[in-house]
Amino acid sequence: MTKLTVIVDNKAGQELKGEWGLSILIEHNDKKILLDVGGSDLFAENLQKLGFDIKDIDYAVLSHAHYDHANGMPRFFEDNKKAKFYLRKTTAENCYAIDYLIFRRYIGIPKNVIRDYGDRIEFVSGDYKLCDGVYLIPHKSPCLDLIGKKEKMYTKVGGRLRPDNFSHEQSLVIETEKGLVILNSCSHGGAVNIINEIKSTFPDKHIYGLIGGFHLYNKSKKEVEEVAKNISETGIEYICTGHCTMGKAYGIMKEELGDKLEQLHVGLVKEF
């Protein structure tokens, strides 16, 4: 059995605070895996309130190099002395957003976290087996820098800002009794692209579900409807979204996806 507990999300739970960020605890076989650590130390507070001990976590994974998923990293390293933190090899302190055409805003991982905790960080490339039945899969879709340009997201490379191609983003894929479950916290590379990437990576496996944010909070009704329709056409059976999808887009998606779609919120528990 695989059990997922939402530790941090925009939508708060009973007596549990929320924030702009995401953190999900995965219990798979006898391992505890923490995907992301939110935008602050809140993840540690919520873990404790939900009855978990941060010291017991066996693996930590960063879905992508943005602050709202990584700012809790120093706190994690302080409280957990055993777990490695798994990042894509291309991850660096170099992610920016451009606001109002001229204002450059840093949106990356905590400054100096790689320097200060380098012995605890594991950089991975390609398809990576984290443990039995759990995999870290990079983007394989072409031209994702076009999405970065549209979203006004950039990485600083060689002193220049270039449209982000989200090579620092990865999907965490779990083999469950119902089929593969994909977790991708913001799906910057596109939810449908991600589903298709996992299909091509595991051609003989059934994909059951996709969990995470879909970065639809800034999209038009037409764009959201198209994403929902395309997700439905993949044949996936279960979708759970929140964080950067936000309520308006969630409501639009619900009309298309119906009972297949569930709302993420702090404290949500799912078993597969």
Side-chain angles (χ1 to χ4, degrees):
M1 183 191 74
T2 300
K3 180 179 175 183
L4 274 58
T5 304
V6 180
I7 308 302
V8 172
D9 181 65
N10 301 25
K11 195 174 180 64
Q14 292 183 348
E15 299 182 4
L16 295 164
K17 295 178 183 177
E19 68 177 1
W20 180 265
L22 197 64
S23 179
I24 300 174
L25 182 69
I26 301 115
E27 297 173 86
H28 180 75
N29 296 330
D30 61 343
K31 302 297 183 184
K32 288 183 174 66
I33 305 161
L34 188 64
L35 175 65
D36 292 344
V37 284
S40 70
D41 289 351
L42 179 64
F43 82 98
E45 177 184 326
N46 283 353
L47 273 170
Q48 185 177 30
K49 287 183 176 179
L50 287 163
F52 298 105
D53 190 334
I54 197 170
K55 296 182 180 67
D56 294 336
I57 292 170
D58 300 291
Y59 305 93
V61 174
L62 186 65
S63 64
H64 63 292
H66 288 170
Y67 74 97
D68 47 336
H69 302 264
N71 270 4
M73 288 177 73
R75 175 65 181 273
F76 180 84
F77 290 128
E78 289 171 14
D79 292 357
N80 179 301
K81 301 301 183 184
K82 69 173 184 177
K84 291 278 190 177
F85 218 119
Y86 291 79
L87 283 62
R88 278 285 123 190
K89 190 176 181 179
T90 53
T91 300
E93 298 164 15
N94 67 345
C95 291
Y96 292 86
I98 303 296
D99 299 326
Y100 309 112
L101 301 179
I102 56 171
F103 181 67
R104 183 178 72 180
R105 176 168 56 95
Y106 181 70
I107 59 170
I109 63 177
K111 292 287 188 177
N112 301 320
V113 71
I114 293 174
R115 181 199 69 189
D116 294 345
Y117 301 100
D119 60 325
R120 301 286 306 281
I121 293 172
E122 194 78 25
F123 290 102
V124 300
S125 58
D127 299 338
Y128 186 86
K129 183 177 180 179
L130 185 68
C131 58
D132 286 345
V134 182
Y135 305 88
L136 304 179
I137 307 298
H139 282 306
K140 300 174 180 180
S141 302
C143 303
L144 294 185
D145 58 322
L146 297 178
I147 296 177
K149 185 176 182 180
K150 181 181 179 182
E151 296 294 334
K152 299 181 175 61
M153 291 182 172
Y154 295 81
T155 54
K156 193 173 185 180
V157 182
R160 295 180 58 189
L161 289 178
R162 303 177 186 277
D164 199 339
N165 63 6
F166 304 108
S167 62
H168 55 88
E169 186 170 65
Q170 58 187 340
S171 295
L172 189 153
V173 181
I174 312 165
E175 292 181 344
T176 77
E177 294 177 7
K178 294 185 176 181
L180 298 181
V181 173
I182 309 164
L183 288 88
N184 192 303
S185 297
C186 275
S187 307
H188 287 292
V192 174
N193 284 339
I194 288 163
I195 294 168
N196 290 330
E197 287 168 355
I198 303 308
K199 279 185 176 181
S200 67
T201 304
F202 302 95
D204 300 325
K205 301 283 187 181
H206 170 64
I207 299 177
Y208 173 74
L210 174 64
I211 298 170
F214 297 159
H215 210 262
L216 298 174
Y217 75 94
N218 58 353
K219 303 300 187 295
S220 68
K221 184 174 187 289
K222 183 178 179 181
E223 288 174 305
V224 176
E225 287 174 340
E226 184 176 0
V227 170
K229 180 176 179 291
N230 291 339
I231 288 175
S232 183
E233 289 177 352
T234 67
I236 200 165
E237 298 173 50
Y238 174 75
I239 306 101
C240 187
T241 191
H243 180 41
C244 54
T245 298
M246 296 290 281
K248 182 181 177 181
Y250 180 87
I252 296 168
M253 293 184 73
K254 190 71 173 176
E255 293 180 11
E256 171 70 34
L257 297 168
D259 292 341
K260 289 182 179 181
L261 184 67
E262 186 170 8
Q263 174 75 61
L264 274 173
H265 64 82
V266 180
L268 177 68
V269 176
K270 298 298 298 183
E271 295 183 355
F272 302 97

